[in-house]
Every structure is written in C-alpha cells, then in structure tokens.
C-alpha cells in the first residue's frame, strides 16, 4: 500500500485511519452475513442495527435530550437551505438570518426564493466577512434565527452563540459539528453535510427538536417534510446506507478512540493554536480574520503574491500535504483541520510553512 497523504481538504475531507481500516475489513463480509453492507436491504436487521447505533452515538456525543430527532437525509446541506424555510418559517413572521458570507448568504437566498419575509439580523459584509457579528438583535416576530456556526470558505467561526430567548436557533454546522462541546438546547434545528467532519459525502445529518415539527404546512411535498423522516426513522425511502454506516464508525471513533467531544475540543484547540501562533509570529503569511472570530476548522492565509501561493500549494502537495488551495471564490490558501487531522499533521504543516517562508521571503 502507498504512503497516505496528509489531507487538508475542505470537504470531502480526511477520515480517521481506524475508520477506513474497519470499512476495508468489513467490505466483503459485513458481520458474518457474507455480503457487503452496500448489498444489503435497508430494512434488514443488520442495517437497522447500523442506523440505530449511529443515532444513539450522535445523541450521546451531542448530549441531546429526548426531544431531539436525529435524521439522515440526502441533498446535502444545500437542500437544507430550502427545507428549513419550507418547514419552519411561520406565516406572518420573519425568517431571520445572519450573513457571514458564502454558505450563509446561500441559505438566506433560498428563503427569499420561497417568498419568505427574510430579515438580515446582522451581516459581516462591511469588512469582507472577516468577523462574526456581535450583539445580534433578536426580533420577537422571527420564526427562527439562522446562523452558520463555521464559515468554511471565509475561515470564521462562532465561538459563542446568540442569546435568542424564545426564538429557536437554526444552524448550518456542516464544517464544525462534533468538533467541540456546546449546549444544544437553544437550537430548534441543526444540520450538517457529513463530508466535512462526520463521514463521506452523500448523507446530511439533521437534528430537529420535536416542537419544530408542528410548523410544517400540509402542502410541503412528502420528501421535503421533516416529519416524514421522524415518523419513519429516516427510512421513508432508501437512505444512503453506506454513508450512514461510515458516519456511525466515525462516531464510534470519537467515543472510543478520542474519548468524546471534550477531548476532541482540546485537540482541536491545540491544533488551531499551533497554526495561528505561527501565523502571528511572522509576516510572510497573513490571516485576514479578526482574532476572536478565527475558525479552528478552516485556517485561511495569504502569501505576498498569487504566484507564491501557487508555488506553496504545489510544493506542499509534493511533500504529501494536500488540499491547501483556498476556495475558488476567494483564492489564497486554506488548511482544513477537521477532527481526523491530528496534532502531528498540523506540526508537519507548520514546519513546511516555516521552511517555505525561509526559502522564499
Ligand atoms: C460544504 C458546506 C455546505 C454545502 O454542503 P453540501 O453538502 O455540498 O450541500 C454548506 N454549508 C457549509 C457551512 C459548508 O461547509
């Protein structure tokens, strides 16, 4: 087998090695069935076990109380941009959004397309999305307040959530779910495409609180109603079985290898400190994000010229450090430090960056 690269991809992204090895070992014969999990009925007792195990692990890891349903849907986080307003925006009320750039803007756009009365509660567009707005005004006439907890493209992250009182928070957590401990109680709904921090592409984790389900208007199509999936435990139609299985293994890895989200958070803090401390001590690389809004998951940085950025990405690639190119909409470089990227990988990256700066500055 060839040498494994260190994967800093923004998504699909690195998966824990023990998870990949387990998948490999079970590929031809899952649990003594003589079949791959991909060849099995989604209504078999084996798959039911896989699904229930993934749900229980997610509930334990996030400390969700019995009011929350954990669902596995398709269509990516991008479909949630539409399902959220379809199901949760109430007649005569506002749909409130915080615009922290890119994905957050797209979420608000879908609500507008659906004819909802969208209110921008706050935006960081005035300083090119380099910070997370503070003191978000809470409108009592809002159905919900939507935030994007980690901004994958801009490299910003909420390190405290708005105090929204009776207004439920709805959040796109695609790129930082399971990266740290947080209190789920203010959230009416949380969603995340699995391919950043929870598994392979093809499944979206949706966590919805029971009281949110009453809001859905009758005319919403069956496949777009959350209640369709709460009532059938994500088995209304064929779910993405293989992706759910791998998500379950990643959750098992978090519980058994890492020891839960407190430990994961400590590791993620150490990783982020390693790279931001280095970025702050020199002036060849530049991180544009305001200090209190820096993402632990996606670290964006610029070099003095686009040519140097290209060289840096290419040399890193040759050294086995892949995926450092910034999003095509903003350019520059970006290192995504999701859960599966370990402390040693970040040390290797910082050593590489130090070396490159010494040679080229
Ligand atoms: C990647 C990403 C998305 C888009 O996810 P898809 O699953 O491709 O639809 C949405 N929001 C955030 C924060 C993301 O990082």
């Amino acid at each position: 087998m060839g040498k494994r690269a260190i994967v800093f991809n923004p998504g699909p992204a690195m998966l824990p090695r023990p998870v990949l090895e387990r998948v490999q070992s079970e590929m031809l014969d899952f649990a003594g069935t003589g079949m791959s999990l991909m060849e099995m009925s989604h209504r078999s007792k084996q798959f039911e076990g896989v699904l229930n195990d993934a749900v229980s692990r997610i509930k334990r890891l996030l400390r969700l109380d019995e009011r929350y349903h954990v669902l596995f849907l398709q269509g990516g986080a991008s479909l949630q941009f539409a399902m959220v307003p379809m199901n949760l925006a109430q007649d005569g009320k506002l749909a409130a959004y915080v615009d922290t750039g890119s994905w957050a803007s797209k979420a608000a756009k879908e609500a507008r397309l659906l004819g909802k009365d969208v209110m921008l509660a706050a935006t960081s567009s005035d300083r090119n999305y380099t910070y997370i707005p503070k003191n978000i005004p809470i409108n009592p006439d809002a159905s919900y307040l939507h935030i994007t907890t980690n901004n994958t493209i801009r490299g910003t992250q909420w390190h405290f959530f708005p105090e929204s009182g009776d207004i439920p928070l709805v959040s796109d957590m695609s790129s930082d779910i399971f990266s740290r401990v947080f209190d789920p109680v203010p959230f009416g709904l949380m969603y995340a495409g699995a391919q950043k921090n929870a598994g392979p592409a093809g499944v979206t984790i949706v966590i919805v609180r029971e009281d949110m389900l009453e809001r859905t208007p009758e005319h919403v199509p069956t496949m777009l109603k959350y209640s369709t999936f709460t009532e059938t435990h994500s088995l209304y139609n064929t779910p993405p079985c293989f992706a759910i299985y791998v998500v379950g293994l990643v959750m098992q890895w978090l519980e058994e290898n890492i020891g839960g989200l407190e430990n994961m958070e400590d590791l993620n803090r150490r990783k982020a400190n390693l790279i931001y401390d280095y970025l702050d001590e020199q002036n060849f690389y530049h991180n544009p994000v305001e200090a209190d809004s820096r993402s632990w998951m996606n670290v964006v940085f610029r070099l003095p010229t686009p040519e140097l950025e290209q060289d840096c990405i290419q040399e890193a690639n040759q050294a086995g450090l892949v995926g450092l190119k910034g999003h095509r909409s903003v350019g520059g470089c970006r290192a995504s430090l999701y859960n599966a990227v370990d402390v040693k990988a970040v040390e290797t990256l910082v050593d590489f960056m130090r070396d490159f700066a010494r040679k080229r500055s």
Side-chain angles (χ1 to χ4, degrees), residues 103-173:
W103 299 116
S105 316
K106 286 186 170 172
K109 179 186 161 206
E110 293 302 296
R112 279 194 207 94
L113 280 174
L114 286 159
K116 306 298 177 187
D117 198 356
V118 171
M119 181 187 73
L120 269 197
T123 174
S124 50
S125 61
D126 58 332
R127 295 203 296 278
N128 201 24
Y129 298 116
T130 52
Y131 71 102
I132 298 293
K134 284 163 202 72
N135 306 316
I136 313 296
I138 304 301
N139 189 313
D141 285 327
S143 294
Y144 56 80
L145 175 67
H146 182 283
I147 64 171
T148 309
T149 52
N150 183 71
N151 297 279
T152 325
I153 296 175
R154 301 288 177 168
T156 63
Q157 186 175 23
W158 294 75
H159 292 291
F160 55 89
F161 297 132
E163 303 271 349
S164 60
D166 292 337
I167 311 295
L169 290 177
V170 170
S171 60
D172 178 355
M173 296 193 171

Side-chain angles (χ1 to χ4, degrees), residues 8 46 64 95 100 117 134 157 188 209 213 233 260 279 286 301 305 333 346:
F8 295 103
Q46 286 83 7
L64 301 172
T100 45
D117 198 356
K134 284 163 202 72
Q157 186 175 23
R209 208 173 59 202
L213 299 171
H233 300 281
L279 287 169
H286 169 68
F301 54 94
T305 67
C333 301
V346 181

Side-chain angles (χ1 to χ4, degrees), residues 1 197 206 286 346 352:
M1 198 174 78
N197 215 16
V206 174
H286 169 68
V346 181
F352 169 85

Side-chain angles (χ1 to χ4, degrees), residues 127-238:
R127 295 203 296 278
N128 201 24
Y129 298 116
T130 52
Y131 71 102
I132 298 293
K134 284 163 202 72
N135 306 316
I136 313 296
I138 304 301
N139 189 313
D141 285 327
S143 294
Y144 56 80
L145 175 67
H146 182 283
I147 64 171
T148 309
T149 52
N150 183 71
N151 297 279
T152 325
I153 296 175
R154 301 288 177 168
T156 63
Q157 186 175 23
W158 294 75
H159 292 291
F160 55 89
F161 297 132
E163 303 271 349
S164 60
D166 292 337
I167 311 295
L169 290 177
V170 170
S171 60
D172 178 355
M173 296 193 171
S174 292
S175 51
D176 69 349
I177 193 167
F178 308 122
S179 69
R180 57 179 170 175
V181 178
F182 68 94
D183 176 13
V185 168
F187 293 89
L189 188 140
M190 299 160 255
Y191 61 91
Q195 70 273 20
K196 276 55 181 272
N197 215 16
V203 66
T204 312
I205 299 163
V206 174
I207 299 161
V208 59
R209 208 173 59 202
E210 180 70 27
D211 59 301
M212 296 290 107
L213 299 171
E214 300 154 9
R215 297 181 174 199
T216 307
E218 200 45 48
H219 65 78
V220 172
T222 310
M223 278 296 286
L224 300 176
K225 277 191 171 105
Y226 292 118
S227 58
T228 300
F229 298 93
T230 58
E231 284 160 13
T232 58
H233 300 281
S234 301
L235 290 173
Y236 173 71
N237 69 329
T238 318

